[in-house]
Structure formats: structure tokens, C-alpha cells
Amino acid sequence: GIEAEAAMLGQPMSMLIPQVLGMRLHGKLREGMTATDLVLTVTEILRKKGVVGKFVEFFGPGIAALSLADRATIANMAPEYGATCGIFPIDAETLRYLKFSGRSADQVALVEAYAREQGLFHEASTAEAEYSDVVDLDLASVEPSVAGPKRPQDRVSLYGAKKSFEDNVASLTKPKKAEKKLTSKTNIGFAPAGNAGGEVKNGSVVIAAITSCTNTSNPSVLVAAGLVAKKAVEKGLSTKPWVKTSLAPGSKVVTEYLAEAGLTPYLDKLKFNTVGYGCTTCIGNSGPLPPAVTNAIEDGNLVVASVLSGNRNFEGRVHPEVRANYLMSPPLVVAFALAGRIDLDLENEPLGQGTDGPVFLKDIWPTTKEVADLMNKAVKPEMFTKSYGVVFEGDERWQKLSVPTGDTYVFEDHSTYIKHPPYFAGMAKTPVAVGDIKKARALAVLGDSITTDHISPAGSIKKDGPAGKYLVENGVDAKDFNSYGARRGNHEVMVRGTFANVRLKNLLAPGTEGGVTRHLPDGAPMSIFDASEIYAKEGVPLCVLAGKEYGSGSSRDWAAKGPMLLGIRFVIAESYERIHRSNLVGMGILPLQFAAGETVASLGLTGEEVFETVGLPQMLSSGFANGKTLVVRANGNGATKEIKALVRIDTPQEVAYYQHGGILHYVLRSLAA
């Protein structure tokens, strides 16, 4: 993210002093519950509580029963529950993990001595800290869980997955014009060569991925997945032919202990083959679906599903053709790949027919003791020292790469991956005085829960979109497009992919999905990128209107860099996710917030107005001495509306960043001085 880039260049990280919410854990997880079930429960609770901009510290007697890997799974979901960070205290389990994963005795002793000296070491007798607020969770209340179909906080009981899908299928269905409506019973025949055949229909699982997040570095859930695979194979089950399966471990150590445990052959038998160790399906790198599946989805206007063990299932993130996406534990991913459907009552319906009749989930679910015993046998300290000891060496191909010399990067004009970014083009030695933003047009009017996945380019690149057309014009075949993530060093690709999410609904272009808008005042429909190009030629600054939780999700720098390159000067939203708000300031975009209770709808805004800020230079120069409420005038249909908006530049350091046009300009001028 942008904050990290600034920190690398010596800048402090600026934030308001956070509230610290304590989450007291007590009790113990019931038999068969996983770390994923727990973290999805935590995410649901904390999203409802509201922890944006806060730290969350987990404490209480329940943490003693959680392995360090389980704690890491919970902490890693902080962006999903909205916190700045999720933290656990240092305790005996921390020391055990440090020893087990190959850290030296001296380092372990230093950690313990320092933590005890600072009063940071957690023991049963430790007095509770004072928190801004406390939430309680009885670990025994955690039930088997999945989350979806499009947000991590939308947890449902595993046994409610069928109802969840059925309740959401209508809203997930792509609108079809002048075509017959298809019901959930519309079936499309699908029999790929070499398979027994089957059918793809609404609710079919077409992607099942144990994908590379902290989940897939947690031995308990990985071993559990392998045991489910082993029991399923032994009972004669196989994955359905329309399900694209994959395993992307979070570490090479995982590969070693799955092999040591004798589970790899069973995962391979069910086609959960290791595809790599980086981000895969969770960020849209699952690759294309088989043509027969794609055709079935398109011909039937179907709502199909993915199941994955990642952190994020936002709209359009996993695969452009998959409209329902559910997060779950690795063993459940295996189970749903066997079933081939998300609309299945796993409590009462079988996963499939085995050699001796129907097989239910309970028939192949491992016990907590089975998982623990196999972990103790298969996961060994030397695996960590072996893998991490050579982590920087790379394989033979890596070692043969020719490395340029010199202090500065040599950009290649013909590269479609890395181009010289334009952020400093035309930059003066001293910042230009901030003025009010005048005659601005709305590029997009958006609803609630617009994530950084909606804003930032992510996943696969569409051939007929602005980014795809750019690559084709530069001699790149569609098969070589790769993903936005791989091309994040090319601003020409990334700016064309900003707001290009296939599920984005822009209220300026009703009835559409994707990066579509209307150029104003003529109302001509076009892509958001094409409209931004026209507005730039016309000298028109741009803005975005949005609802609650604008910019939730991961801390994507391109969710701020892309809008800046599109010419967006300010955003007015009902509320922001902390990191995205900070990133907007960092790229010189003004984050404004509607007054409490006011929305785009309540103010009667259409997005067709002409907007201007009033009094911004005076507010900034006074350091907000007279408050932070700014007036934004919206002129339309012969009338003027005055919107009172809170300026969300939150710290004095951020004022300096904004006055310089962004954090990168500020840093460069500081270095030059």
C-alpha cells in the first residue's frame, strides 16, 4: 500500500490514536470445529460491532486453547472485520511456536525476557488490560460456518448454505433483456471428455480452491482437508467433473508435511493438485473455466458458485463468470467439490454415492484427535529450517536471470508489464497552492460496501475492456494477458482497469454492470476510462458519490492511484474504511463524508449535477481552526443544493500530504530538500 511505500522512504505512518477493543475469548471449540469456523464468526461479530479505525486485541482464558496458527488466521482477517489490526498477546504458545519453527534459543529467550520486562507477557494470572470496549465470545458457541455469497462478514451456518444461496440467487442473476426468464431448475447438460458427465445448473460449484492465504499455512485445517480427501477416496467418492479444483499452499512446508502424513496422493486423486505458492483463486488467478462450463453458464444465464479457503469473496474477484462465492475451511472446500453443488443440505443430504451407498459429510469428517495426532507425527521443526534456510536462493531459472546494474531502474519502452509512472510529471519544486475544486462532474454514483476490489483492477483482464484493448494494440495476445496483479507496474493497464469490476453497478448508468458510465452533460454511455479521457481533454475535474463502507477490503494502493490517474479530485461517501481513506489523501484525492443521516438519495442527488467545493483553501491553511465541515455546492436543473460534508483529512501530517498533492510528492520534495 501507499503507507508502506512512504514508510520505505522514511516517512512516519500517521493516524489518529485508535480505540482498542478487547475481544475476550473463553471456553473451547467443540469437536470438529475449525479455525475458519472461528474466524468467520469473529468477522461477523466485529463487523456488526463496528471496528473501523480501531485495534482489536484478543485476550482471555480461551486464547490458551488456540494454536499460533489459529491466532494468525484470526489476525489475518483484520481487513475483513474492518480493524486496523488484530493482535494477540505474547505467551507460552508464542515461545513454543518460535522454538518449533526453527528460531534460535537466544532469540526465543530474548522475546520472553523483553515481553516480561515490558509487562506484555500473557499468563492465566495476568490482570486484564483496560479497553475502550469489550466483546465476549464463548468458543463453544462456534458452529460449522461458511460466508457468502459476496462478503466475508456474511456468515451463515454450514447447514444454512443451501438457504443462503436460494435467498440470494435472484439478486445475483445477470439481467437479461428480451429473453425468457430461467428458473433455478434450468439444467444445462455437461459431459466433458473423459468424465462420467453431469450437469451444470444454478448452484453448481465450478471452482473449489484451497487457496494461498494464512488458512493454507495452518496445519490443522490442511491436515483436516487431507483426511477428508483420504476418507472420501476410500469410500469411492470423486470430485464432480465440472469442478475446477486446486491447492495453493501458503508455504512449501505444507507440501512437506502433507507428504509426510501420506495425504498428498488422496488430494491428488481428487484433483487438488498443488498449482503454486502465491495468491491464486482468491485474487482471480484461477484461469479460464472449461469451455463447456462457460457455455453452460452463458446459455443458461446461470448463477454458479466458487468455494475457497481464502479471506475475500467480493463481487467479481474470484472469476468473472462466477456470481456466488463462499469462504470456508479447506476440508469443507474438499466436501463441496465432491458434492458439486452449494445448494445442498449437508446435514441431511449425501455428498454423493460411494461404493457402499450414499456418503454423508459426517461419514468422512475427521475427529479433532485424528487431526492432532497426524499433525504431531507429520509436522516437524526441521521442515521450517530446511525451507526457510534457502528461501532467498531461488531455483535454477531464478539464479540464471541476468541482473541489471546501476542505482536507478532502467525502464524498457516496449515493456507491457512495467512502465515509467506519471506521478511526478510536471511537478514543481514547491507545491502549488490548494484551491477550491470547481465545475466537477460525477464519474460514478455508487452504493454501499464498495470494496477496493470494485475500485482497483483485480483478477483477469477482459479482452473487450479498455485494458484488454490496450494490450492487444500493443501486440499482446489474449492468452498472454495474465492478470491485473501481474501488470500492476504498468499504469496504462491499471488505469484502464480502475472501476472496471464486472459487478460494479454505477447508478449513473442504471441497468448496467461493469465499468460503465455516461459522459455529461450529453449523457452518452461509455466506459469509465473513455469518459475520463474526454473529461480530461475538456479540463473537467471528477468526483465519486458513494454510500457506507467505501473502500472496504484489502489495502490496495491502486484503489487510490487509479482514481487519481482517472482525474478524480474528491469522493463524497457516507463512511470510509480507514486504509482507503488514508490512501486517497496519499494520492491527493479529497475524502469528504456526508453529514450523519444524509445520503445521495436523501439529498436528492442524481450525479448529473455540477459540483464545487467552497472554502477548502482557508480550512487547510488554518489547520481546521474553525472546524472541518465544508460546503459542496451541487448545481443542477436550475437549482443549487448545498451539501455539508466533513473533510476526512484526519491528521496534521495528512494536511501536509494533501497540500503537496499527495504523499509521493511530499516525500520527493523532502528528499530533494
Side-chain angles (χ1 to χ4, degrees):
I2 291 162
E3 291 173 326
E5 293 173 6
M8 289 166 64
L9 294 168
Q11 284 302 301
M13 188 172 156
S14 171
M15 68 167 74
L16 296 175
I17 298 295
Q19 293 184 23
V20 183
L21 179 135
M23 191 166 202
R24 184 189 290 113
L25 305 180
H26 53 92
K28 188 176 181 181
L29 290 175
R30 290 180 289 138
E31 171 63 37
M33 298 305 107
T34 68
T36 312
D37 300 322
L38 173 56
V39 76
L40 294 179
T41 304
V42 168
T43 300
E44 178 189 35
I45 292 169
L46 293 179
R47 264 293 169 191
K48 287 179 179 175
K49 178 70 177 176
V51 293
V52 172
K54 300 176 184 178
F55 288 12
V56 176
E57 180 168 86
F58 299 88
F59 72 103
I63 69 169
L66 297 178
S67 71
L68 189 132
D70 290 351
R71 301 175 192 188
T73 302
I74 295 169
N76 190 47
M77 286 285 271
E80 282 63 59
Y81 44 81
T84 300
C85 64
I87 51 179
F88 282 81
I90 299 167
D91 66 356
E93 169 62 13
T94 315
L95 303 180
R96 186 206 65 79
Y97 178 81
L98 290 173
K99 293 173 187 172
F100 187 79
S101 55
R103 272 65 173 190
S104 69
D106 285 349
Q107 186 177 5
V108 177
L110 176 62
V111 169
E112 181 175 7
Y114 179 85
R116 288 188 181 281
E117 187 69 22
Q118 296 294 338
L120 298 174
F121 199 85
H122 185 275
E123 294 177 292
S125 59
T126 304
E128 287 188 5
E130 290 184 25
Y131 295 99
S132 308
D133 198 358
V134 173
V135 175
D136 276 278
L137 175 61
D138 181 358
L139 297 178
S141 69
V142 173
E143 61 179 348
S145 300
V146 301
K150 56 185 179 181
R151 296 193 308 178
Q153 63 262 43
D154 295 334
R155 186 199 68 84
V156 294
S157 164
L158 168 63
Y159 306 121
K162 179 177 182 178
K163 185 176 186 301
S164 165
F165 178 80
E166 291 173 347
D167 289 347
N168 284 281
V169 68
S171 64
L172 293 170
T173 303
K174 180 180 179 181
K176 284 277 212 177
K177 296 178 182 177
E179 290 184 22
K180 67 176 182 178
K181 290 187 178 179
L182 293 155
T183 70
S184 61
K185 294 182 179 177
T186 301
N187 294 343
I188 304 295
F190 172 62
N195 286 308
E199 59 185 17
V200 176
K201 60 182 181 179
N202 274 358
S204 290
V205 170
V206 298
I207 292 175
I210 301 173
T211 190
S212 186
C213 291
T214 299
N215 256 330
T216 44
S217 296
N218 186 330
S220 65
V221 289
L222 265 296
V223 168
L227 283 169
V228 167
K230 180 176 186 290
K231 291 170 184 276
V233 169
E234 289 171 347
K235 287 188 176 292
L237 294 182
S238 57
T239 50
K240 294 297 186 285
W242 55 83
V243 185
K244 185 168 188 175
T245 50
S246 61
L247 167 61
S251 161
K252 288 189 175 182
V253 174
V254 176
T255 299
E256 290 202 39
Y257 65 65
L258 286 177
E260 180 71 20
L263 298 174
T264 303
Y266 300 102
L267 288 163
D268 286 344
K269 178 86 171 173
L270 296 183
K271 301 176 185 174
F272 281 95
N273 310 103
T274 298
V275 294
Y277 297 91
C279 292
T280 54
T281 300
C282 184
I283 189 56
N285 289 340
S286 61
L289 297 175
V293 174
T294 292
N295 294 339
I297 296 168
E298 193 170 322
D299 294 345
N301 191 25
L302 300 178
V303 178
V304 295
S306 76
V307 295
L308 62 153
S309 65
N311 288 21
R312 296 161 192 148
N313 56 337
F314 301 124
E315 292 181 298
R317 179 183 176 104
V318 172
H319 195 284
E321 295 165 15
V322 180
R323 290 176 169 267
N325 304 283
Y326 285 86
L327 303 180
M328 59 188 64
S329 65
L332 281 180
V333 170
V334 176
F336 276 103
L338 297 167
R341 295 164 45 202
I342 194 69
D343 54 342
L344 188 72
D345 178 0
L346 287 181
E347 194 167 25
N348 300 303
E349 295 181 69
L351 294 168
Q353 292 294 319
T355 49
D356 297 322
V359 180
F360 292 82
L361 180 63
K362 63 185 178 182
D363 298 329
I364 61 171
W365 197 258
T367 66
T368 302
K369 186 177 187 305
E370 282 181 288
V371 173
D373 288 349
L374 199 50
M375 280 173 54
N376 291 335
K377 171 190 167 189
V379 187
K380 300 174 181 177
E382 53 267 27
M383 292 176 176
F384 292 88
T385 52
K386 176 185 173 185
S387 288
Y388 296 153
V390 295
V391 71
F392 295 112
E393 292 181 10
D395 63 11
E396 184 182 359
R397 291 168 299 175
W398 176 261
Q399 292 172 0
K400 285 184 176 178
L401 287 175
S402 59
V403 182
T405 58
D407 291 337
T408 55
Y409 184 81
V410 181
F411 287 93
E412 298 175 356
D413 292 338
H414 65 274
S415 175
T416 56
Y417 278 95
I418 302 178
K419 293 186 75 68
H420 195 292
Y423 307 127
F424 305 112
M427 174 182 160
K429 284 188 176 180
T430 56
V432 177
V434 172
D436 273 312
I437 302 164
K438 298 183 178 181
K439 297 182 179 180
R441 287 284 188 179
L443 190 60
V445 180
L446 307 169
D448 295 339
S449 296
I450 296 298
T451 69
T452 50
D453 279 72
H454 288 103
I455 306 165
S456 171
S460 58
I461 300 171
K462 290 174 61 179
K463 185 176 182 180
D464 57 353
K469 290 176 182 176
Y470 165 84
L471 289 172
V472 169
E473 289 168 2
N474 282 271
V476 180
D477 292 334
K479 65 180 176 61
D480 297 321
F481 276 4
N482 213 317
S483 65
Y484 282 113
R487 294 189 181 272
R488 66 192 309 161
N490 184 340
H491 62 277
E492 297 285 8
V493 171
M494 299 300 278
V495 69
R496 287 164 172 79
T498 302
F499 289 113
N501 182 293
V502 293
R503 299 288 174 265
L504 185 77
K505 293 179 176 65
N506 183 0
L507 301 182
L508 268 180
T512 65
E513 281 187 326
V516 183
T517 192
R518 288 184 299 126
H519 174 263
L520 299 170
D522 57 75
M526 60 187 69
S527 75
I528 282 177
F529 173 75
D530 289 342
S532 76
E533 292 271 270
I534 296 172
Y535 283 128
K537 290 175 183 174
E538 296 171 342
V540 175
L542 300 173
C543 67
V544 170
L545 312 181
K548 299 181 184 69
E549 296 179 353
Y550 184 73
S552 55
S554 49
S555 58
R556 294 251 179 85
D557 55 350
W558 271 105
K561 289 177 177 175
M564 185 275 284
L565 293 175
L566 287 173
I568 293 169
R569 299 285 304 281
F570 66 91
V571 177
I572 316 180
E574 292 175 53
S575 64
Y576 292 89
E577 204 81 343
R578 187 202 71 82
I579 294 178
H580 183 61
R581 182 210 59 77
S582 170
N583 282 349
L584 289 175
V585 176
M587 291 310 296
I589 297 173
L590 181 66
L592 301 174
Q593 190 165 311
F594 288 114
E598 293 189 344
T599 68
V600 171
S602 72
L603 292 166
L605 300 174
T606 65
E608 297 186 7
E609 299 86 356
V610 176
F611 299 88
E612 65 177 4
T613 64
V614 181
L616 179 61
Q618 294 81 1
M619 291 181 70
L620 289 173
S621 61
S622 71
F624 301 118
N626 299 314
K628 295 178 66 177
T629 300
L630 182 75
V631 170
V632 178
R633 290 194 184 123
N635 304 300
N637 293 326
T640 299
K641 296 175 182 174
E642 292 205 341
I643 305 162
K644 291 184 178 179
L646 180 68
V647 179
R648 289 298 314 277
I649 297 177
D650 287 355
T651 69
Q653 190 66 41
E654 288 185 346
V655 173
Y657 293 158
Y658 185 76
Q659 288 174 325
H660 276 261
I663 196 169
L664 301 178
H665 296 112
Y666 177 89
V667 170
L668 186 58
R669 289 188 178 112
S670 300
L671 292 172

